[in-house]
Amino acid sequence: QVQLVESGGGLVQPGGSLRLSCSASGIIFSLYAMGWYRQAPGKQRDLVAGITSGGTTNYADSVKGRFTISRDNAKNTVYLQMNSLKPEDTAVYYCNADFGRLRPGKGYWGQGTQVTVSS
């Protein structure tokens, strides 16, 4: 079966950095677009960053210049490097895999990893 396993979340001070990883199994990883979403308490789940199978990336305006998404097809893993973190980045971050392109609410999901930005 398909599994997406996120890791790398935690507590970090404002201005700090974290790198999230999502390891995929049960899919032909190179054929899937990958995305990172986040959901804060009481809010909807929003796309943070996406990367196509060909490596094209897109970002939410709120994270442009601070976050970088990348993928390693040999390791079936997608990463999210998060720099200059702000308290408003606090959320549960979810990994998503969708065949071909990212479609809202579709595809496979990981269990989520908590990111808390606080002093």
Side-chain angles (χ1 to χ4, degrees), residues 13-59:
Q13 292 187 342
S17 297
L18 283 175
R19 189 175 83 152
L20 305 183
S21 299
C22 171
S23 179
S25 59
I27 59 173
I28 303 175
F29 183 79
S30 61
L31 298 181
Y32 279 71
M34 301 297 297
W36 286 98
Y37 290 74
R38 68 185 180 189
Q39 187 169 20
K43 296 189 176 182
Q44 67 181 18
R45 189 177 299 188
D46 291 324
L47 179 66
V48 174
I51 185 166
T52 67
S53 57
T56 301
T57 59
N58 65 285
Y59 299 92

Side-chain angles (χ1 to χ4, degrees), residues 82-99:
M82 304 186 294
N83 298 328
S84 302
L85 281 160
K86 304 176 181 180
E88 51 264 42
D89 295 318
T90 296
V92 178
Y93 284 70
Y94 296 90
C95 177
N96 173 247
D98 204 357
F99 184 77

Side-chain angles (χ1 to χ4, degrees), residues 3-21:
Q3 278 193 311
L4 300 177
V5 180
E6 300 104 333
S7 60
L11 173 64
V12 63
Q13 292 187 342
S17 297
L18 283 175
R19 189 175 83 152
L20 305 183
S21 299

